[in-house]
């Protein structure tokens, strides 16, 4: 309710906010009886009772925070290996408009590659975190293998058996992620077209499975999920003759029906598609919904002042009432019905009486007049008009006009008439000023809006709350969501002047471009002004400095630990202070503190983030227990935290918990579940999982069949994602010809790329090529240089090979230097994979060992106790020298 401006004695009532409870209304009525001196008490009490009745009929309770609803709409048409599909890109464009009109935050994409899908799906999941309803709409190629449905990106070739795992998108993975984020899930698939792919059998977990020829398989949905298919299981859908597929066209049309539950919508879609295809295509859905899902909500009522006061003169003919035009905030048209006509006069519109029961268009309300006959109200009387506004969706609001009827006869009447005319002119002038000022408050504003902190108030400082002034959204932002605390705005929405100061915008995660928002500001149908402002999404400096890769609650691509700079702690402390309820910033502060070596403070920040619901923080705590960082090493506790993070869809958690289950690290082995988790993490783009899978498929572990070609497929996927470990491993495959044709030139390029990214083992890999003259001209000097780069990054094998290279010099060998490298190899061998380093070191005599130990001690910044055997002292000294040169183990 809004404040209403008024005049004279009756202003005590009208200038106060209309109460929204019986108690407040009764109190207001007592004030009226006691304080309105100019009116008879009984008449005023009667009027108050009438007002109360109409106000009570119009009470509406609004949720303080509108339910969050997010949709991801994909249309894949331009397939690179196969003929293009005619409709999907246009389907996606049309369906995305439908969801936007329904007030969803919409992510829309066409012709996605696998990598693009991963990136945009992660952004969508971040937006869907905690949502009431999460929707995925997909149009494009899809098919089934062994009862599993797959959606096909435009860059898929699917020529080899492993390709399905690294090139396609498993529908169940998508559904599981939605379940972990939202209360209700809806997946709509116009993807049942013929299978054009050349191969017929593919790897699925631990088996080769034959692909289905057409259609998708039935899906078992969990509670509160609806999955809709363009056609029945195992059947093919049609593109149709028009620009849209029959299914998408029917969905866009039917989904716009206001206040229709989705199962009713889908039934109507089914009827339309069956008719359009002469019964050849029958849409089908599988529902376990227990909550109602309404796509096009239309529950808001027309907006107008509930009570207005007007002075009307008798005997002067029709008098303009100057009532404001009612506004439907959902963008529909409004009609009016007279609920209680005035008793002392009659209503007129365009010179004709308004008949009771005859509807009036909302746009005509400002032209409504009242004609009080001569001789009526020789003394001042009180009268009332009550009317109801109706929108297209069944919404209704009551409006009340209280009349003070005065005589228009004689000099006093003329004086009152002149005063009223002057006041009307002044009101017109003021409203023009209001509209101009309102436009100036919006026009050319460029507001920075932080990403990932929820809806942000725009604080426009609007110059008027005149109930006659409204704003229609003429240009909705291309990305992101406009909202008020009680509702989400759509491209058809309007809002009142009194609401504009509460306008909010939430940028879309992953969208960086500045967006424009246009309004048409108006006071009636004849006067309006356009105004446009810009909203620029901004990333908080903490996200830029310490964001985590693949964080499904993050807003940036993220940094590896070694990329976090010294300024990150200060930046993230500022973010936590500004946004104390955003757990992501506490987690990123924990990462920054870890990088700075402040382990105890980091642990506290990460624990707080985990308590507040940040899933990656849960994984991070698990990693701290697994490595003994800031806590006692506890594999059981680590696994419990990994499992909790995996259950919430975190790819890091799925990788670590999957690795533990597959190998039996601190838990009873479960090879099948472990492999499944690693595959799910890889499907989310996690390269650590891809490298683990490559190792499993290269060797054939725990009953999983060895298949080097399958291993290579995962390593190639890791290289596509710029993973330096995948590059080094794939380079080795090209050197050995394992799973791929032998190609030293490609191996060299991969090793060099990995070296440039800081990979610790790639320098040693390339050094061996120069040492042995494989694919390059033999150069021991270049091999020596590369081995030493690897040593500086912590590679024990490079240290061992560098020692061997030194001893190959024969009489010119520096034995003390060889001893030093052997000691360093043993020191860096934390996984005990190089026992020959200790054994070879033991074969050297005391002289080179004494020289090497003396040299190492001289390089130390602090003294090292001289206890233990000479070999032990050498290894300890070498470890300390390396650690002092590399204070952060995570640098490489």
């Amino acid at each position: 309710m809004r404040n209403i401006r008024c005049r004279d004695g009756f202003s005590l009532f009208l200038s106060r906010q209309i109460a929204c409870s019986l108690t407040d209304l009764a109190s207001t009525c007592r004030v009226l009886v006691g304080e309105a001196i100019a009116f008879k008490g009984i008449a005023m009490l009667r009027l108050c009772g009438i007002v109360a009745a109409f106000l009570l009929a119009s009470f509406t309770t609004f949720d303080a925070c509108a339910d969050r609803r997010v949709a991801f709409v994909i249309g894949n048409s331009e397939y690179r290996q196969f003929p293009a599909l005619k409709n999907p890109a246009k389907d996606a464009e049309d369906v995305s408009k439908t969801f936007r009109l329904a007030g969803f935050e919409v992510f829309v994409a066409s012709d996605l590659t696998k990598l693009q899908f991963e990136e945009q799906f992660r952004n969508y999941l971040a937006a869907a975190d905690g949502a009431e309803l999460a929707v995925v709409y997909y149009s494009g190629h899809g098919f089934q293998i062994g009862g599993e449905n797959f959606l096909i990106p435009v860059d898929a070739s699917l020529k080899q058996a492993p390709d399905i795992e690294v090139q396609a998108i498993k529908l169940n993975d998508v559904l599981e992620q939605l379940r972990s984020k939202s209360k209700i899930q809806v997946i709509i698939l116009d993807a049942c077209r013929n299978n054009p792919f050349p191969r017929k059998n593919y790897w699925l977990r631990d088996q080769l499975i034959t692909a289905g020829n057409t259609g998708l398989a039935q899906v078992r949905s969990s509670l509160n999920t609806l999955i809709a298919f363009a056609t029945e299981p195992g059947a093919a859908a049609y593109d149709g003759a028009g620009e849209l597929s029959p299914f998408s066209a029917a969905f866009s049309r039917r989904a716009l029906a206001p206040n229709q539950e989705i199962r009713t919508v889908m039934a109507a879609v089914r009827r339309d598609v069956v008719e359009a295809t002469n019964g050849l295509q029958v849409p089908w859905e599988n529902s376990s919904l227990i909550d109602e899902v309404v796509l096009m909500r239309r529950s808001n009522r027309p907006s107008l002042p509930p009570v207005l006061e007007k002075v009307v003169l008798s005997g002067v003919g029709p008098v303009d009432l100057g009532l404001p035009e009612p506004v439907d905030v959902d963008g529909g048209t409004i009609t009016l019905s007279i609920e209680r006509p005035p008793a002392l006069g009659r209503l007129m519109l365009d010179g004709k009486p308004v008949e009771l029961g005859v509807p009036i268009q909302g746009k005509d309300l400002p032209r409504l007049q009242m004609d009080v006959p001569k001789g009526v109200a020789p003394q001042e009387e009180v009268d009332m008009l009550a009317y109801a506004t109706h929108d297209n969706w069944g919404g209704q609001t009551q409006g009340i006009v209280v009349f003070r009827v005065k005589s228009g006869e004689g000099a006093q009447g003329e004086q009152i008439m002149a005063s009223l005319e002057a006041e009307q002119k002044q009101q017109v002038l003021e409203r023009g000023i209001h509209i101009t000022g309102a436009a100036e408050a919006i026009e050319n504003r460029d507001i920075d809006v932080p990403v990932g902190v929820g809806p942000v108030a725009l604080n426009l400082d609007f110059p008027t709350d005149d109930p006659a002034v409204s704003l229609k959204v003429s240009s909705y932002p291309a990305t992101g969501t406009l909202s008020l605390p009680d509702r989400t705005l759509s491209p058809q929405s309007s809002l009142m002047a009194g609401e504009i100061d509460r306008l909010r915008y939430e940028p879309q995660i992953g969208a960086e471009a500045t967006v424009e928002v246009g309004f048409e500001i108006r006071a009636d149908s004849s006067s309006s002004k356009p105004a446009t402002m810009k909203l620029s999404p901004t990333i908080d400096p903490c996200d830029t400095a310490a964001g985590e890769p693949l964080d499904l609650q993050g807003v940036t691509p993220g940094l590896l630990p070694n990329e976090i700079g010294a300024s990150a702690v200060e930046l993230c402390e500022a973010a936590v202070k500004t946004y104390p309820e955003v757990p992501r910033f506490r987690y990123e502060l924990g990462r920054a503190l870890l990088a700075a070596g402040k382990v105890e403070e980091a642990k506290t920040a990460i624990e707080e983030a985990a308590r507040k619901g940040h899933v990656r923080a849960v994984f991070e705590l698990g990693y701290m227990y697994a490595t003994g960082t800031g806590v006692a090493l506890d594999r059981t506790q680590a696994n419990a935290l990994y499992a909790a993070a995996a259950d919430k869809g975190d790819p890091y958690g799925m990788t670590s918990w999957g690795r533990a289950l597959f190998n039996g690290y601190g838990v009873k082995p479960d090879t099948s579940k472990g492999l499944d988790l690693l595959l799910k993490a890889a499907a989310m783009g996690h390269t650590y999982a891809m490298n683990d899978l490559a190792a499993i498929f290269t060797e054939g572990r725990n009953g999983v069949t060895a298949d080097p070609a399958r291993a290579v497929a995962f390593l190639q996927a890791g290289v596509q994602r710029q993973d330096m470990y995948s590059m080094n491993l794939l380079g080795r495959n090209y050197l050995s010809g394992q799973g791929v044709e032998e190609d030293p030139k490609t191996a060299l390029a991969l090793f060099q790329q990995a070296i440039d990214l800081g990979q610790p083992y790639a320098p040693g890999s390339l050094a061996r090529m120069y040492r042995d003259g494989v694919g390059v001209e033999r150069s021991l000097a270049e091999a020596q240089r590369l081995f030493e780069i690897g040593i500086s990054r912590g590679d024990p094998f490079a240290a061992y090979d560098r020692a061997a290279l030194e001893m190959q010099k024969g009489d010119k060998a520096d034995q003390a230097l060889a001893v030093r490298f052997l000691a360093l190899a043993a020191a860096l061998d934390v996984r005990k994979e190089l026992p020959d380093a200790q054994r070879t070191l033991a074969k050297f005599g005391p002289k080179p060992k004494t020289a090497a130990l003396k040299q190492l001690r001289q390089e130390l910044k602090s003294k090292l106790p001289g206890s233990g055997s000479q070999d032990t002292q050498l290894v300890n000294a070498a470890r300390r020298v390396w650690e002092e040169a590399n204070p952060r183990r995570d640098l490489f």
Side-chain angles (χ1 to χ4, degrees):
M1 304 289 185
R2 276 169 292 282
N3 289 329
I4 303 170
R5 297 179 183 174
C6 48
R7 302 173 294 278
D8 303 329
F10 202 52
S11 62
L12 269 170
F13 173 51
L14 296 174
S15 65
R16 300 187 180 190
Q17 286 189 321
I18 302 302
C20 288
S21 70
L22 283 170
T23 303
D24 291 344
L25 188 60
S27 175
T28 303
C29 289
R30 286 194 294 272
V31 170
L32 285 173
V33 174
E35 300 182 16
I37 300 173
F39 299 90
K40 296 180 180 179
I42 298 297
M44 183 57 66
L45 185 59
R46 187 180 300 115
L47 177 63
C48 186
I50 296 170
V51 170
F54 279 95
L55 286 179
L56 285 172
S58 65
F59 286 161
T60 303
T61 301
F62 291 104
D63 198 349
C65 182
D67 295 332
R68 185 171 185 80
R69 307 191 302 165
V70 189
F72 186 21
V73 181
I74 307 163
N76 282 349
S77 290
E78 297 296 329
Y79 283 86
R80 298 176 184 178
Q81 303 280 337
F82 312 100
L85 294 173
K86 182 176 67 172
N87 297 126
K90 294 173 183 175
D91 290 343
E93 182 181 354
D94 192 67
V95 170
S96 67
K97 290 178 181 177
T98 298
F99 281 115
R100 197 174 290 277
L101 284 170
F104 281 73
E105 180 179 0
V106 182
F107 290 72
V108 59
S110 294
D111 299 329
L112 288 180
T113 65
K114 178 63 162 62
L115 267 68
Q116 289 169 338
F117 173 83
E118 290 171 9
E119 179 183 359
Q120 296 206 33
F121 187 53
R122 286 194 296 268
N123 290 335
Y124 163 72
L125 288 176
D129 191 32
E132 173 77 8
L133 173 61
V135 177
V136 171
Y137 192 107
Y138 175 81
S139 182
H141 272 306
F143 67 95
Q144 60 167 299
I145 303 175
E148 291 276 11
N149 292 319
F150 289 86
L151 312 180
I152 312 301
V154 296
D155 60 338
S157 63
L158 302 186
K159 294 178 180 178
Q160 306 299 324
D163 287 350
I164 194 71
E165 296 173 314
V166 295
Q167 295 182 6
I169 301 150
K170 190 187 294 184
L171 179 62
N172 270 337
D173 288 349
V174 172
L175 183 55
E176 286 185 20
Q177 286 290 346
L178 297 189
R179 288 172 187 155
S180 71
K181 300 295 180 186
S182 57
K183 179 182 177 184
I184 305 169
Q185 304 83 43
V186 171
I187 296 182
I188 304 173
L189 300 169
D190 192 359
C192 310
R193 294 163 172 85
N194 289 330
N195 176 4
F197 303 104
R199 191 177 178 89
K200 295 303 180 186
N201 62 330
Y202 298 94
W203 278 111
L204 196 62
R205 298 184 184 89
D206 55 354
Q207 299 180 61
L208 276 170
I209 305 291
T210 301
N213 289 325
T214 58
L216 298 177
Q218 185 172 349
V219 179
R220 293 183 60 187
S221 59
S222 62
L223 198 63
N224 238 6
T225 298
L226 182 142
I227 304 172
F229 297 85
T231 191
E232 59 193 316
Y238 295 88
D239 278 335
E243 289 192 341
L244 304 177
S245 74
F247 180 77
S248 291
F251 178 81
S252 288
R253 181 170 60 252
R254 293 296 185 177
L256 291 173
N259 300 324
Q260 291 289 307
E261 210 277 333
I262 192 168
R263 284 162 286 197
T264 302
V265 169
M266 297 313 299
V269 170
R270 183 160 39 250
R271 288 193 296 271
D272 288 355
V273 174
V274 168
E275 181 180 352
T277 63
N278 295 318
L280 296 176
Q281 180 177 333
V282 182
W284 170 88
E285 61 268 357
N286 179 29
S287 172
S288 60
L289 293 177
I290 58 173
D291 291 313
E292 285 200 342
V293 175
V294 175
L295 298 179
M296 181 65 79
R297 294 173 175 170
R298 286 295 180 259
S299 59
N300 290 306
R301 298 181 176 189
S303 182
L304 75 166
V307 180
L308 290 171
E309 182 213 3
K310 297 291 178 180
V311 174
V312 180
L313 298 183
S314 62
V316 297
V319 175
D320 292 334
L321 296 180
L323 301 179
E325 180 181 344
V327 175
D328 190 326
V329 296
D330 287 325
T333 58
I334 296 177
T335 58
L336 292 96
S337 60
I338 304 302
E339 304 287 304
R340 181 187 186 280
L344 301 178
R346 60 180 181 172
L347 297 174
M348 307 288 291
L349 181 62
D350 297 335
K352 298 178 181 179
V354 176
E355 301 295 336
L356 190 65
V358 177
I360 303 171
Q361 296 299 310
K363 62 183 177 60
D364 295 332
L365 188 61
R367 303 203 313 277
L368 200 64
Q369 298 176 310
M370 184 169 172
D371 185 11
V372 180
K374 183 177 180 180
V376 174
Q379 296 184 353
E380 189 169 317
E381 296 280 351
V382 178
D383 200 358
M384 188 185 81
L385 160 69
Y387 60 95
T389 58
H390 310 271
D391 62 21
N392 295 352
W393 340 109
Q396 179 176 307
T397 301
Q398 266 67 42
I400 296 174
V401 183
V402 178
F403 300 116
R404 292 168 55 192
V405 182
K406 300 182 178 183
S407 173
E409 299 180 39
Q412 185 178 4
E414 291 178 1
Q415 185 178 3
I416 295 173
M417 175 62 77
S419 175
L420 289 175
E421 290 176 348
E423 187 173 334
Q424 287 175 350
K425 291 179 181 178
Q426 180 64 26
Q427 186 180 59
V428 170
L429 179 62
E430 286 181 357
R431 282 190 175 155
I433 294 172
H434 289 165
I435 292 175
T436 300
E440 290 174 352
I442 294 174
E443 187 66 29
N444 297 325
R445 292 284 299 275
D446 192 343
I447 303 173
D448 290 339
V449 187
V451 175
V453 299
V456 177
L458 298 181
N459 299 320
L460 293 175
D461 193 21
F462 212 58
T464 179
D465 61 357
D466 186 338
V469 176
S470 65
L471 299 89
K472 180 175 178 59
V473 179
S474 59
S475 175
Y476 200 84
T479 58
T481 307
L482 286 173
S483 67
L484 294 167
D486 65 341
R487 66 184 186 274
T488 299
L489 303 185
S490 75
Q492 293 181 341
S493 292
S494 295
L495 60 163
M496 307 305 294
E499 296 178 308
I500 194 70
D501 283 338
R502 295 183 289 130
L503 185 64
R504 311 178 302 180
Y505 174 68
E506 183 168 5
Q508 188 169 102
I509 293 172
E512 300 176 355
T514 296
V515 298
E516 289 190 348
V517 185
F519 294 98
E520 193 70 25
I521 307 169
R522 57 191 180 184
D524 53 54
S525 57
S526 61
S527 61
S528 65
K529 273 187 177 295
T532 301
M533 63 180 174
K534 294 180 179 179
L535 303 174
S536 299
T538 60
I539 301 296
D540 190 276
C542 175
D543 287 316
T544 304
E548 170 88 356
L550 305 188
D551 184 353
L552 300 190
Q553 293 163 296
V555 300
T556 62
L559 302 174
L560 296 173
N562 60 293
E563 297 172 315
I564 298 175
S567 64
V569 171
E570 183 179 353
L571 294 172
C572 290
E573 285 175 340
V576 168
K577 184 176 181 180
T578 304
Y579 306 105
E581 297 307 314
V582 179
R584 180 180 77 253
F585 292 128
R586 293 184 185 273
Y587 169 61
E588 291 172 353
L589 173 60
R591 292 193 81 216
L593 289 165
L594 273 179
K598 300 179 179 180
V599 177
E600 284 300 319
E601 294 176 58
K603 178 173 174 287
T604 299
I606 293 168
E607 286 175 338
E608 288 177 357
R611 279 195 297 270
K612 288 179 174 289
H614 196 77
V615 178
R616 182 58 59 77
V618 175
F619 161 81
E620 197 76 46
L621 288 174
Y623 182 77
M624 294 178 78
Y625 278 103
T627 57
T629 304
V631 294
L633 195 148
D634 187 336
R635 170 57 75 171
T636 301
Q637 179 69 1
N639 283 340
L641 291 163
Y642 287 159
D647 286 344
K648 288 294 185 179
D650 179 58
Y652 275 64
M654 289 190 288
T655 298
S656 294
W657 181 224
R659 186 186 296 135
L661 287 169
F662 187 86
N663 296 294
Y665 294 154
V667 67
K668 182 180 178 181
D670 188 336
T671 300
S672 178
K673 185 175 180 180
L675 182 64
D676 198 46
L677 283 167
L678 288 170
L679 288 167
K680 290 179 189 296
M684 290 296 296
H686 195 15
T687 56
Y688 294 7
M690 294 174 188
N691 294 335
D692 274 343
L693 290 165
I696 291 169
F697 300 140
T698 295
E699 301 167 12
R701 296 180 185 172
N702 300 345
V704 176
T705 304
D707 187 333
R710 194 179 185 190
V712 165
F714 279 98
L715 292 177
Q716 289 172 333
V719 170
Q720 278 186 303
R721 290 155 184 80
Q722 295 298 298
D723 182 78
M724 58 188 180
Y725 290 92
S726 299
M727 293 170 188
N728 183 56
L729 293 170
L730 184 59
R732 292 180 181 179
N733 281 72
Y734 274 105
L735 269 185
S736 65
Q738 192 172 22
V740 68
E741 287 189 20
E742 192 173 315
D743 186 347
K745 185 177 180 181
T746 299
L748 187 149
L750 286 165
F751 291 147
Q752 188 59 61
Q753 191 176 0
I755 290 169
D756 293 342
L757 291 171
Q759 211 273 352
Y761 303 108
S765 298
L766 185 55
R768 293 178 192 100
M769 290 182 70
Y770 280 101
R771 180 194 66 190
D772 302 332
V774 176
V776 294
E777 185 177 348
R778 189 168 187 261
S779 172
L780 296 181
E782 181 64 7
Q784 178 176 309
R785 184 185 74 84
L786 288 165
F787 279 136
E788 290 178 5
I789 291 175
I791 294 166
S792 70
R793 296 179 179 184
D795 179 5
F797 299 96
Y800 184 80
D801 286 348
R802 175 65 182 87
L805 196 65
E806 186 65 29
M807 293 310 298
Q808 289 174 13
K809 297 178 182 178
D811 294 340
K812 296 182 179 179
D814 185 337
Q815 291 198 356
L817 188 61
V819 166
R820 177 192 177 103
F821 284 128
L822 286 169
L824 191 53
L828 294 173
D829 183 25
V830 293
R831 297 180 181 178
K832 306 304 178 186
E833 298 172 312
L834 197 55
D836 284 350
Q838 287 273 16
R839 287 196 289 266
T840 306
L841 177 62
K843 294 177 181 179
F844 280 77
K847 186 175 180 181
K849 289 182 180 179
T850 301
L853 184 59
K854 180 179 179 181
Q855 185 184 53
L856 287 167
R857 288 184 182 280
Q858 288 175 345
E859 293 178 19
L860 286 174
K861 299 174 184 176
S862 58
K863 289 186 177 181
L864 188 70
S867 59
S869 67
Q870 194 173 35
D871 285 5
T872 299
Q873 292 182 48
L874 276 166
V875 171
N876 290 339
R879 180 182 295 111
R880 181 70 66 82
V881 166
W882 190 89
E883 288 175 348
E884 287 183 353
N886 301 279
R888 283 174 54 186
R889 179 83 186 183
D890 61 4
L891 278 174
F892 301 106

